[in-house]
């Protein structure tokens, strides 16, 4: 027999999830696009502040320039692609025949591992699907590939909320219905990833709306936040750095001599403690400019100079 306090806890959990679902479902659309080569794509999109703007994934949009968004109440609107940014896996489209009110955007920088999150999207063609789980990891990196071009989506949120094809571009929200991420991929059984909504994301959205693209500098590192060894922490007065998990072959990071296992302490003479610290340095002004990077490798400090290239393709 279930104890009364357990019933109360389950009721409270259900109330949060149902409230978030009710708040967000009207603002998350099923998105269908068709590229110039005739290939179609499908996913989800979230209405965000702006004149009919919806936020989705770059990999959902691909090279398409137009499509159609269908909302939970059955209303639909043609959309035009405003811009895409493959490095962050974000894209902005604009509804040309009206859209619901926008969601409230939160700040993923405030998320904590173990925190409740709710995913809303259109997986497998099932409109308005809702799943819930917890934040199971922060600051992850997601290597992606588009043809021969390798990329790394940085600082993604890891969650155990069930995600399936069609969830990409949908909303990941906190318990107050604030959208803190855009679901981007299914990494494996019981594992989903989302692009965080934070200061960097807002800058990307603004640039896409203004210019249609984001001119980005590219390093080619796959990294994850990691604690510094006690001795190094005492010496530097810092607690965390970025552990290099992988280096994309032929990338600026590879040419600079960075290796898997390196612990990145500084980039551009500034401390690096999470992927966003590095992302902030990799906009247009960094392309072609020497970027000093300090890493801890096998008990020694190593300084290298990387020269970011522009992300293309």
């Amino acid at each position: 027999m279930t104890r009364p306090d357990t019933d109360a806890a389950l009721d409270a959990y259900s109330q949060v999830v149902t409230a978030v679902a009710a708040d967000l479902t009207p603002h998350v659309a099923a998105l269908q696009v068709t590229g110039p080569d005739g290939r179609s794509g499908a996913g989800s999109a979230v209405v965000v502040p702006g004149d009919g703007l919806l936020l989705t994934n770059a990999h959902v949009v691909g090279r398409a320039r137009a499509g159609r968004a269908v909302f939970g109440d059955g209303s639909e609107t043609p959309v035009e692609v405003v811009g895409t940014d493959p490095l962050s896996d974000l894209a902005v489209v604009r509804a040309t025949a009206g859209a619901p009110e926008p969601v409230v955007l939160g700040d993923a920088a405030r998320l904590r591992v173990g925190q409740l999150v709710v995913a809303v999207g259109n997986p497998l063609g099932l409109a308005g699907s809702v799943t819930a789980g917890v934040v199971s990891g922060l600051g992850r990196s997601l290597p992606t590939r588009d043809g021969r071009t390798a990329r790394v989506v940085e600082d993604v949120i890891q969650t155990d909320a069930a995600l399936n094809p069609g969830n990409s571009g949908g909303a990941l929200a906190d318990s107050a219905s604030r959208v803190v991420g855009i679901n981007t991929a299914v990494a494996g059984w019981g594992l989903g990833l989302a692009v965080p909504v934070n200061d960097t994301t807002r800058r990307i959205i603004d640039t896409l709306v203004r210019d249609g693209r984001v001119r980005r500098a590219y390093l080619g590192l796959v990294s994850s936040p990691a604690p510094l060894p006690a001795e190094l922490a005492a010496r530097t007065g810092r607690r965390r750095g970025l552990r290099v998990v992988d280096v994309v072959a032929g990338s600026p990071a590879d040419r600079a001599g960075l290796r898997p296992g390196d612990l990145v302490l500084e980039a551009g003479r500034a401390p690096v403690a999470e992927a966003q610290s590095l992302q902030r340095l990799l906009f247009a002004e960094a392309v072609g400019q020497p970027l000093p990077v300090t890493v801890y490798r096998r008990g020694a400090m190593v300084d290298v100079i990387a020269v970011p290239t522009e992300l293309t393709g």
Side-chain angles (χ1 to χ4, degrees), residues 293-308:
V293 181
T294 300
V295 303
Y296 185 69
R297 179 187 298 164
R298 296 180 181 175
M301 298 287 206
V302 178
D303 292 316
V304 302
I305 300 293
V307 181

Side-chain angles (χ1 to χ4, degrees), residues 80-261:
E80 57 186 20
V81 177
V82 175
T84 63
D85 179 41
L87 186 60
S88 64
D89 198 20
L90 291 175
V92 175
V93 302
R94 189 188 304 275
T96 59
E101 290 296 309
V103 299
V104 175
L105 296 179
D107 184 3
R110 298 184 179 182
L111 288 177
R112 297 293 179 265
V113 173
Q115 182 173 338
L116 170 68
V117 285
V118 180
V120 180
N122 300 278
L124 306 173
L126 303 173
S129 292
V130 177
T131 58
V134 299
V135 175
S136 48
L138 292 167
R140 305 303 197 205
S141 296
L142 173 67
T144 63
R145 182 171 293 277
D146 180 9
R148 296 182 178 180
T149 304
R151 302 186 177 95
V152 180
V153 180
E154 295 282 7
D155 208 23
V156 296
I157 302 163
Q158 178 184 325
T159 174
D160 67 352
L163 301 178
N164 292 288
N167 267 119
S168 288
L172 187 73
D174 63 15
S175 59
S177 302
R178 295 175 297 233
V179 174
V180 292
I182 299 297
N183 299 318
T184 190
V186 180
W189 294 109
L191 178 63
L193 301 174
V195 178
V197 172
N198 52 33
D199 290 342
T200 302
T201 307
R202 287 177 168 83
R203 181 176 176 183
I204 291 168
I205 295 170
D206 290 344
T207 305
L208 288 175
V209 173
R210 185 182 67 244
D211 302 329
R213 64 187 289 261
V214 179
R215 188 168 178 247
R216 301 291 295 269
Y218 170 67
L219 271 182
L221 282 181
V222 181
S223 61
S224 179
L228 271 57
E231 200 173 297
L232 182 61
R235 191 195 327 167
T236 61
R238 301 173 195 160
R239 298 176 56 189
R240 301 179 69 81
L242 277 181
R243 178 73 66 186
V244 177
V245 178
D246 195 11
V247 177
V248 177
S251 68
D254 186 27
R255 292 193 294 271
L258 292 168
R259 306 172 186 170

Side-chain angles (χ1 to χ4, degrees), residues 15-58:
Q15 287 170 12
V16 171
V17 175
T18 54
V20 174
D23 287 343
L24 290 186
T25 300
H27 312 281
V28 179
L31 182 67
Q32 296 179 327
V33 297
T34 303
D37 57 0
R39 292 183 181 179
S40 60
S44 304
V46 182
V47 183
V48 295
D51 184 16
L53 298 180
L54 291 87
L55 187 61
T56 185
N57 286 147

